[in-house]
Short mmCIF file of all heavy atoms in Angstrom, two decimals:
data_model
loop_
_atom_site.label_atom_id
_atom_site.label_comp_id
_atom_site.label_asym_id
_atom_site.label_seq_id
_atom_site.Cartn_x
_atom_site.Cartn_y
_atom_site.Cartn_z
N VAL A 242 59.71 -0.91 29.79
CA VAL A 242 59.13 -2.24 29.96
C VAL A 242 58.74 -2.42 31.43
O VAL A 242 59.49 -2.05 32.34
CB VAL A 242 60.14 -3.34 29.57
CG1 VAL A 242 59.65 -4.72 30.04
CG2 VAL A 242 60.36 -3.36 28.08
N ILE A 243 57.55 -2.99 31.66
CA ILE A 243 57.15 -3.41 33.00
C ILE A 243 56.96 -4.92 32.95
O ILE A 243 56.04 -5.42 32.30
CB ILE A 243 55.86 -2.71 33.46
CG1 ILE A 243 56.06 -1.19 33.51
CG2 ILE A 243 55.43 -3.24 34.83
CD1 ILE A 243 54.82 -0.41 33.90
N MET A 244 57.85 -5.66 33.63
CA MET A 244 57.77 -7.11 33.70
C MET A 244 56.97 -7.49 34.94
O MET A 244 57.38 -7.20 36.07
CB MET A 244 59.17 -7.73 33.78
CG MET A 244 59.16 -9.24 33.75
SD MET A 244 58.62 -9.93 32.15
CE MET A 244 60.00 -9.44 31.10
N THR A 245 55.84 -8.14 34.73
CA THR A 245 54.93 -8.37 35.85
C THR A 245 54.18 -9.69 35.67
O THR A 245 54.74 -10.65 35.15
CB THR A 245 54.01 -7.14 36.02
OG1 THR A 245 53.20 -7.31 37.18
CG2 THR A 245 53.16 -6.85 34.81
N HIS A 246 52.93 -9.74 36.10
CA HIS A 246 52.17 -10.98 36.20
C HIS A 246 50.83 -10.85 35.47
O HIS A 246 50.34 -9.75 35.22
CB HIS A 246 51.94 -11.31 37.67
CG HIS A 246 53.20 -11.33 38.47
ND1 HIS A 246 53.96 -12.46 38.65
CD2 HIS A 246 53.87 -10.33 39.13
CE1 HIS A 246 55.02 -12.18 39.37
NE2 HIS A 246 54.99 -10.89 39.68
N GLY A 247 50.24 -12.01 35.16
CA GLY A 247 49.01 -12.02 34.40
C GLY A 247 47.88 -11.24 35.04
O GLY A 247 47.17 -10.47 34.38
N GLY A 248 47.68 -11.41 36.34
CA GLY A 248 46.61 -10.70 37.03
C GLY A 248 46.81 -9.20 37.05
O GLY A 248 45.85 -8.43 36.96
N VAL A 249 48.07 -8.79 37.16
CA VAL A 249 48.39 -7.35 37.16
C VAL A 249 48.04 -6.75 35.80
O VAL A 249 47.41 -5.69 35.70
CB VAL A 249 49.87 -7.12 37.49
CG1 VAL A 249 50.23 -5.64 37.37
CG2 VAL A 249 50.19 -7.63 38.89
N ILE A 250 48.45 -7.43 34.73
CA ILE A 250 48.18 -6.93 33.38
C ILE A 250 46.68 -6.83 33.13
O ILE A 250 46.17 -5.80 32.64
CB ILE A 250 48.85 -7.83 32.33
CG1 ILE A 250 50.37 -7.72 32.45
CG2 ILE A 250 48.39 -7.46 30.91
CD1 ILE A 250 51.14 -8.69 31.58
N MET A 251 45.94 -7.87 33.48
CA MET A 251 44.49 -7.86 33.29
C MET A 251 43.84 -6.69 34.03
O MET A 251 42.98 -5.99 33.48
CB MET A 251 43.90 -9.18 33.78
CG MET A 251 44.26 -10.38 32.92
SD MET A 251 43.84 -11.95 33.71
CE MET A 251 42.05 -11.83 33.77
N SER A 252 44.26 -6.47 35.25
CA SER A 252 43.66 -5.41 36.06
C SER A 252 43.99 -4.02 35.53
O SER A 252 43.12 -3.15 35.45
CB SER A 252 44.13 -5.53 37.52
OG SER A 252 43.66 -6.74 38.09
N LEU A 253 45.25 -3.81 35.14
CA LEU A 253 45.64 -2.49 34.63
C LEU A 253 44.93 -2.17 33.31
O LEU A 253 44.46 -1.04 33.11
CB LEU A 253 47.15 -2.43 34.44
CG LEU A 253 48.00 -2.41 35.71
CD1 LEU A 253 49.49 -2.43 35.36
CD2 LEU A 253 47.68 -1.19 36.58
N LEU A 254 44.85 -3.14 32.41
CA LEU A 254 44.21 -2.87 31.12
C LEU A 254 42.72 -2.63 31.27
O LEU A 254 42.15 -1.78 30.57
CB LEU A 254 44.48 -4.02 30.15
CG LEU A 254 45.94 -4.27 29.76
CD1 LEU A 254 46.02 -5.34 28.66
CD2 LEU A 254 46.61 -2.99 29.29
N SER A 255 42.06 -3.36 32.17
CA SER A 255 40.63 -3.15 32.36
C SER A 255 40.35 -1.83 33.07
O SER A 255 39.29 -1.22 32.86
CB SER A 255 40.02 -4.31 33.14
OG SER A 255 40.54 -4.39 34.45
N ARG A 256 41.28 -1.36 33.87
CA ARG A 256 41.09 -0.10 34.62
C ARG A 256 41.39 1.13 33.77
O ARG A 256 40.64 2.10 33.75
CB ARG A 256 41.98 -0.10 35.86
CG ARG A 256 42.08 1.23 36.60
CD ARG A 256 40.74 1.67 37.17
NE ARG A 256 40.86 2.92 37.90
CZ ARG A 256 40.84 4.13 37.35
NH1 ARG A 256 40.69 4.24 36.02
NH2 ARG A 256 40.93 5.21 38.08
N TYR A 257 42.50 1.10 33.02
CA TYR A 257 42.97 2.30 32.33
C TYR A 257 42.90 2.23 30.80
O TYR A 257 43.10 3.23 30.13
CB TYR A 257 44.43 2.58 32.70
CG TYR A 257 44.69 2.81 34.16
CD1 TYR A 257 45.39 1.87 34.92
CD2 TYR A 257 44.27 3.97 34.79
CE1 TYR A 257 45.66 2.08 36.26
CE2 TYR A 257 44.54 4.20 36.14
CZ TYR A 257 45.24 3.25 36.87
OH TYR A 257 45.50 3.46 38.20
N GLY A 258 42.69 1.05 30.26
CA GLY A 258 42.90 0.86 28.83
C GLY A 258 41.78 1.33 27.92
O GLY A 258 40.61 1.28 28.27
N LEU A 259 42.17 1.78 26.75
CA LEU A 259 41.28 2.06 25.63
C LEU A 259 41.74 1.20 24.46
O LEU A 259 42.91 1.30 24.06
CB LEU A 259 41.32 3.54 25.25
CG LEU A 259 40.83 4.54 26.30
CD1 LEU A 259 41.09 5.97 25.82
CD2 LEU A 259 39.36 4.34 26.61
N PRO A 260 40.91 0.29 23.94
CA PRO A 260 39.47 0.14 24.23
C PRO A 260 39.21 -0.38 25.63
O PRO A 260 40.02 -1.09 26.21
CB PRO A 260 39.02 -0.88 23.18
CG PRO A 260 40.25 -1.68 22.89
CD PRO A 260 41.37 -0.72 22.95
N SER A 261 38.04 -0.01 26.15
CA SER A 261 37.64 -0.39 27.50
C SER A 261 36.93 -1.74 27.46
O SER A 261 35.85 -1.87 26.90
CB SER A 261 36.71 0.68 28.08
OG SER A 261 36.33 0.34 29.39
N LEU A 262 37.58 -2.77 28.05
CA LEU A 262 37.04 -4.12 28.05
C LEU A 262 37.22 -4.74 29.43
O LEU A 262 38.09 -4.32 30.20
CB LEU A 262 37.76 -4.98 27.00
CG LEU A 262 37.58 -4.58 25.53
CD1 LEU A 262 38.55 -5.37 24.65
CD2 LEU A 262 36.14 -4.82 25.08
N PRO A 263 36.43 -5.76 29.77
CA PRO A 263 36.58 -6.40 31.09
C PRO A 263 37.92 -7.12 31.21
O PRO A 263 38.56 -7.47 30.20
CB PRO A 263 35.41 -7.39 31.14
CG PRO A 263 35.02 -7.61 29.73
CD PRO A 263 35.31 -6.35 29.00
N ALA A 264 38.34 -7.36 32.45
CA ALA A 264 39.65 -7.95 32.72
C ALA A 264 39.85 -9.28 32.00
O ALA A 264 40.95 -9.58 31.52
CB ALA A 264 39.83 -8.12 34.23
N THR A 265 38.79 -10.07 31.90
CA THR A 265 38.92 -11.39 31.28
C THR A 265 39.26 -11.31 29.79
O THR A 265 39.68 -12.30 29.20
CB THR A 265 37.62 -12.20 31.45
OG1 THR A 265 36.50 -11.40 31.02
CG2 THR A 265 37.42 -12.58 32.91
N SER A 266 39.10 -10.13 29.19
CA SER A 266 39.46 -9.96 27.78
C SER A 266 40.96 -9.85 27.58
O SER A 266 41.46 -9.93 26.46
CB SER A 266 38.80 -8.70 27.21
OG SER A 266 37.39 -8.77 27.30
N TRP A 267 41.69 -9.66 28.68
CA TRP A 267 43.12 -9.38 28.59
C TRP A 267 43.97 -10.49 29.20
O TRP A 267 45.07 -10.24 29.68
CB TRP A 267 43.43 -8.04 29.27
CG TRP A 267 42.65 -6.89 28.72
CD1 TRP A 267 41.71 -6.15 29.39
CD2 TRP A 267 42.73 -6.32 27.41
NE1 TRP A 267 41.19 -5.17 28.58
CE2 TRP A 267 41.80 -5.25 27.35
CE3 TRP A 267 43.49 -6.62 26.28
CZ2 TRP A 267 41.62 -4.47 26.20
CZ3 TRP A 267 43.30 -5.85 25.14
CH2 TRP A 267 42.38 -4.80 25.11
N MET A 268 43.48 -11.72 29.17
CA MET A 268 44.29 -12.84 29.64
C MET A 268 45.52 -12.98 28.75
O MET A 268 45.42 -12.91 27.52
CB MET A 268 43.46 -14.12 29.65
CG MET A 268 42.31 -14.08 30.65
SD MET A 268 41.30 -15.58 30.67
CE MET A 268 42.46 -16.72 31.44
N THR A 269 46.69 -13.15 29.36
CA THR A 269 47.96 -13.03 28.65
C THR A 269 48.81 -14.29 28.83
O THR A 269 49.11 -14.67 29.96
CB THR A 269 48.75 -11.82 29.20
OG1 THR A 269 47.91 -10.66 29.17
CG2 THR A 269 49.98 -11.55 28.38
N PRO A 270 49.24 -14.93 27.75
CA PRO A 270 50.13 -16.09 27.87
C PRO A 270 51.48 -15.68 28.47
O PRO A 270 51.89 -14.52 28.40
CB PRO A 270 50.29 -16.57 26.42
CG PRO A 270 49.15 -15.97 25.68
CD PRO A 270 48.86 -14.67 26.35
N ASN A 271 52.20 -16.66 29.00
CA ASN A 271 53.53 -16.40 29.54
C ASN A 271 54.46 -15.87 28.45
O ASN A 271 54.47 -16.36 27.32
CB ASN A 271 54.12 -17.67 30.14
CG ASN A 271 53.36 -18.14 31.36
OD1 ASN A 271 52.46 -18.96 31.25
ND2 ASN A 271 53.70 -17.61 32.51
N GLY A 272 55.24 -14.85 28.80
CA GLY A 272 56.19 -14.26 27.87
C GLY A 272 55.58 -13.26 26.91
O GLY A 272 56.29 -12.71 26.06
N CYS A 273 54.29 -13.03 27.03
CA CYS A 273 53.58 -12.12 26.12
C CYS A 273 53.06 -10.89 26.86
O CYS A 273 53.19 -10.78 28.07
CB CYS A 273 52.43 -12.85 25.44
SG CYS A 273 52.94 -14.25 24.43
N GLY A 274 52.47 -9.97 26.13
CA GLY A 274 51.95 -8.77 26.77
C GLY A 274 51.36 -7.80 25.76
O GLY A 274 50.93 -8.20 24.68
N TYR A 275 51.38 -6.52 26.13
CA TYR A 275 50.74 -5.49 25.31
C TYR A 275 51.60 -4.22 25.27
O TYR A 275 52.26 -3.87 26.26
CB TYR A 275 49.36 -5.14 25.88
CG TYR A 275 48.38 -6.27 25.75
CD1 TYR A 275 48.23 -7.21 26.77
CD2 TYR A 275 47.61 -6.43 24.60
CE1 TYR A 275 47.34 -8.27 26.66
CE2 TYR A 275 46.71 -7.49 24.47
CZ TYR A 275 46.59 -8.40 25.51
OH TYR A 275 45.72 -9.45 25.37
N ALA A 276 51.55 -3.55 24.13
CA ALA A 276 52.17 -2.24 23.97
C ALA A 276 51.13 -1.16 24.22
O ALA A 276 50.01 -1.23 23.72
CB ALA A 276 52.75 -2.10 22.56
N LEU A 277 51.51 -0.16 25.01
CA LEU A 277 50.61 0.93 25.37
C LEU A 277 51.21 2.26 24.93
O LEU A 277 52.43 2.44 24.97
CB LEU A 277 50.41 0.98 26.90
CG LEU A 277 50.26 -0.34 27.66
CD1 LEU A 277 50.22 -0.07 29.15
CD2 LEU A 277 49.03 -1.10 27.19
N HIS A 278 50.35 3.18 24.53
CA HIS A 278 50.76 4.56 24.30
C HIS A 278 50.06 5.43 25.34
O HIS A 278 48.83 5.36 25.47
CB HIS A 278 50.38 5.03 22.89
CG HIS A 278 51.28 4.50 21.83
ND1 HIS A 278 51.13 4.80 20.50
CD2 HIS A 278 52.37 3.69 21.91
CE1 HIS A 278 52.07 4.19 19.80
NE2 HIS A 278 52.83 3.50 20.62
N ILE A 279 50.84 6.21 26.05
CA ILE A 279 50.27 7.11 27.05
C ILE A 279 50.55 8.55 26.62
O ILE A 279 51.70 8.99 26.59
CB ILE A 279 50.85 6.85 28.45
CG1 ILE A 279 50.55 5.42 28.89
CG2 ILE A 279 50.29 7.86 29.46
CD1 ILE A 279 50.97 5.11 30.30
N ASN A 280 49.50 9.25 26.25
CA ASN A 280 49.59 10.66 25.93
C ASN A 280 49.47 11.45 27.23
O ASN A 280 48.51 11.26 27.99
CB ASN A 280 48.46 11.04 24.96
CG ASN A 280 48.45 12.52 24.65
OD1 ASN A 280 47.90 13.31 25.42
ND2 ASN A 280 49.03 12.89 23.52
N ALA A 281 50.44 12.30 27.48
CA ALA A 281 50.50 12.99 28.78
C ALA A 281 49.23 13.80 29.05
O ALA A 281 48.75 13.86 30.19
CB ALA A 281 51.73 13.89 28.82
N HIS A 282 48.66 14.42 28.01
CA HIS A 282 47.45 15.23 28.21
C HIS A 282 46.25 14.34 28.53
O HIS A 282 45.50 14.61 29.48
CB HIS A 282 47.18 16.07 26.97
CG HIS A 282 45.93 16.89 27.07
ND1 HIS A 282 45.79 17.93 27.97
CD2 HIS A 282 44.75 16.83 26.37
CE1 HIS A 282 44.59 18.46 27.84
NE2 HIS A 282 43.94 17.81 26.88
N LEU A 283 46.07 13.29 27.74
CA LEU A 283 44.95 12.37 27.99
C LEU A 283 45.06 11.75 29.37
O LEU A 283 44.06 11.63 30.09
CB LEU A 283 44.93 11.27 26.91
CG LEU A 283 43.81 10.22 27.04
CD1 LEU A 283 42.45 10.87 26.84
CD2 LEU A 283 44.02 9.11 26.02
N TRP A 284 46.27 11.37 29.76
CA TRP A 284 46.46 10.77 31.08
C TRP A 284 46.10 11.76 32.19
O TRP A 284 45.48 11.41 33.18
CB TRP A 284 47.91 10.31 31.24
CG TRP A 284 48.21 9.69 32.57
CD1 TRP A 284 48.86 10.27 33.62
CD2 TRP A 284 47.85 8.37 33.00
NE1 TRP A 284 48.94 9.39 34.68
CE2 TRP A 284 48.33 8.21 34.33
CE3 TRP A 284 47.19 7.31 32.40
CZ2 TRP A 284 48.16 7.04 35.06
CZ3 TRP A 284 47.00 6.13 33.13
CH2 TRP A 284 47.48 6.01 34.43
N SER A 285 46.47 13.02 32.00
CA SER A 285 46.24 14.02 33.04
C SER A 285 44.76 14.30 33.26
O SER A 285 44.34 14.61 34.37
CB SER A 285 46.97 15.33 32.71
OG SER A 285 46.38 15.97 31.59
N ILE A 286 43.95 14.18 32.21
CA ILE A 286 42.53 14.52 32.36
C ILE A 286 41.62 13.31 32.53
O ILE A 286 40.54 13.41 33.10
CB ILE A 286 42.02 15.38 31.17
CG1 ILE A 286 42.15 14.62 29.84
CG2 ILE A 286 42.74 16.71 31.12
CD1 ILE A 286 41.53 15.33 28.66
N MET A 287 42.07 12.12 32.04
CA MET A 287 41.19 10.95 32.05
C MET A 287 41.77 9.72 32.74
O MET A 287 41.06 8.76 33.00
CB MET A 287 40.80 10.56 30.62
CG MET A 287 39.92 11.55 29.90
SD MET A 287 39.46 10.91 28.25
CE MET A 287 38.52 9.44 28.67
N ARG A 288 43.08 9.74 33.02
CA ARG A 288 43.76 8.54 33.52
C ARG A 288 43.47 7.34 32.59
O ARG A 288 43.05 6.28 33.02
CB ARG A 288 43.34 8.22 34.95
CG ARG A 288 43.93 9.14 36.01
CD ARG A 288 45.46 8.93 36.07
NE ARG A 288 46.06 9.60 37.21
CZ ARG A 288 46.62 10.80 37.18
NH1 ARG A 288 46.59 11.50 36.04
NH2 ARG A 288 47.18 11.32 38.22
N LYS A 289 43.74 7.53 31.29
CA LYS A 289 43.54 6.48 30.31
C LYS A 289 44.77 6.39 29.40
O LYS A 289 45.46 7.37 29.16
CB LYS A 289 42.30 6.76 29.43
CG LYS A 289 40.98 6.67 30.18
CD LYS A 289 40.64 5.24 30.58
CE LYS A 289 39.30 5.14 31.27
NZ LYS A 289 39.01 3.74 31.70
#
């Protein structure tokens, strides 16, 4: 778990996330967030 802030979540998802969407698509209510899967191979070649 990474407990952080709305702006941080928006920026990380728009930078690394698939599907690829602008930061404003990832506005997050308080106490909420997103589950991510990071495949070590995909991360190593694409940073996604």
Side-chain angles (χ1 to χ4, degrees):
V242 168
I243 299 178
M244 184 68 68
T245 185
H246 307 270
V249 175
I250 293 173
M251 291 168 66
S252 296
L253 290 177
L254 296 187
S255 64
R256 170 64 178 83
Y257 300 110
L259 296 174
S261 181
L262 295 170
T265 51
S266 301
W267 304 115
M268 295 179 71
T269 308
N271 294 93
C273 298
Y275 293 91
L277 320 174
H278 284 180
I279 300 185
N280 177 278
H282 178 65
L283 180 65
W284 179 258
S285 69
I286 61 174
M287 292 184 63
R288 286 294 190 264
K289 292 291 182 182

